[in-house]
Amino acid sequence: MVSVTAIIQARMGSTRFPGKSLLPIAGQPLLEHIIIRLKQVPEINHILLAVPEKDSELPLIDFAHRLQTPVFQGSEEDVLDRFIKAGESVQTEQVVRVCGDNPLLDILLLRSLIQAHLSDKADFTIPRGTVPLGSACEIIRFETLKKIGVLAKSPIYREHVTTWFHNHPSSFRIKHVDAPKYLKGCNFRLTVDTEQDFQLMEQLFKNLPNSPDSPLNLQSAIEYLNAHPETASLNIDIPQKNWREDNS
């Protein structure tokens, strides 16, 4: 069996919204919602939390221990190195890169991405076209990630784990996967970078059925936002951070 590890990238010291990882949504920390959804994906063998090696991250470590989720601590700025060493710690073959601010990952899309990645023996697999920000993950062949770790020297590649793929697409086998119809071309922000994003999440979890055994259905969330523009507008003006601008 191919070893597939979901590595969740998280930290307490978010620039725009510190401490968001453990803020409760519907009575559960944001990170717990992510872990609950990942556990619904049978193609994932391991879930690992990768955090900076700093005392400020102790609340995240305590949280992970309570959920019996393994933790790897590594460089705060060199996130690529953190991912590589985290993957080595569990001897994984494939990595699902998960951002720790996305409590509404789409389970069907994630399964499709992993299945296509393994079937096509790809180096890097992502959705085709536009999907809601925060609904998707990236799938990476671990041996390829280690090669990039040797090649990539610039801070932009060390901080943003998969940027090398986007800037050198002809060097890799990159797979693009069609998303479920309800996600295609959808521009809603389903990530939590700001207080406004958090407010939108609270509205969704308050008004839609969800439980640890039956996570909030993303198609229902999209339908709700289409029917309730006052909720969708809560974070419509939030600019997404652009790694190209951040490092220019």
Side-chain angles (χ1 to χ4, degrees):
M1 179 184 293
V2 176
S3 175
V4 178
T5 302
I7 300 181
I8 307 172
Q9 171 186 334
R11 61 175 180 157
M12 291 297 290
S14 164
T15 304
R16 293 203 281 183
F17 199 8
K20 65 184 178 183
S21 295
L22 297 182
L23 281 178
I25 305 173
Q28 293 171 310
L30 188 156
L31 263 179
E32 187 167 358
H33 286 287
I34 297 173
I35 292 171
I36 286 170
R37 298 183 83 81
L38 293 174
K39 287 181 176 179
Q40 299 289 318
V41 180
E43 290 81 5
I44 292 176
N45 308 115
H46 309 285
I47 300 172
L48 181 63
L49 184 62
V51 303
E53 196 168 15
K54 296 177 66 177
D55 289 344
S56 60
E57 307 307 317
L58 289 176
L60 281 181
I61 295 169
D62 290 341
F63 156 81
H65 287 164
R66 289 199 302 274
L67 265 62
Q68 298 183 316
T69 300
V71 181
F72 180 85
Q73 290 184 273
S75 171
E76 180 173 29
E77 300 299 331
D78 191 344
V79 185
L80 176 58
D81 182 71
R82 195 196 316 168
F83 262 77
I84 291 171
K85 289 179 177 175
E88 288 175 337
S89 74
V90 294
Q91 297 183 314
T92 194
E93 296 173 84
Q94 308 289 344
V95 168
V96 180
R97 178 176 173 257
V98 183
C99 292
D101 42 15
N102 297 340
L104 283 182
L105 297 170
D106 187 68
I107 295 167
L108 289 178
L109 174 57
L110 181 48
R111 293 198 66 187
S112 295
L113 289 168
I114 297 173
Q115 291 168 6
H117 179 84
L118 297 177
S119 176
D120 210 49
K121 295 180 170 56
D123 293 305
F124 182 55
T125 300
I126 54 177
R128 189 191 317 277
T130 300
V131 296
L133 185 65
S135 65
C137 295
E138 299 168 318
I139 321 300
I140 314 161
R141 179 187 297 275
F142 188 58
E143 284 299 319
T144 304
L145 192 66
K146 289 196 289 185
K147 291 176 183 177
I148 290 173
V150 174
L151 296 171
K153 306 299 183 184
S154 169
I156 193 173
Y157 298 123
R158 309 304 302 188
E159 182 181 354
H160 302 279
V161 175
T162 57
T163 302
W164 189 272
F165 288 108
H166 296 289
N167 285 357
H168 304 84
S170 62
S171 301
F172 304 101
R173 188 175 182 86
I174 297 178
K175 179 75 172 177
H176 293 86
V177 176
D178 286 329
K181 186 176 180 179
Y182 54 86
L183 296 179
K184 285 184 178 180
C186 185
N187 288 301
F188 292 127
R189 278 181 60 87
L190 299 179
T191 189
V192 179
D193 275 336
T194 68
E195 177 66 35
Q196 295 96 314
D197 295 328
F198 185 72
Q199 291 171 4
L200 182 142
M201 285 295 165
E202 286 190 309
Q203 287 297 311
L204 290 177
F205 278 86
K206 175 184 175 182
N207 290 291
L208 295 171
N210 63 92
S211 72
D213 295 324
S214 182
L216 193 153
N217 180 277
L218 201 54
Q219 182 171 358
S220 297
I222 300 299
E223 291 171 353
Y224 182 89
L225 291 171
N226 281 324
H228 295 81
E230 72 283 359
T231 298
S233 67
L234 285 171
N235 65 358
I236 197 170
D237 295 325
I238 302 299
Q240 177 59 17
K241 293 174 69 175
N242 187 318
W243 57 262
R244 296 180 189 273
E245 296 173 358
D246 292 343
N247 293 276
S248 59

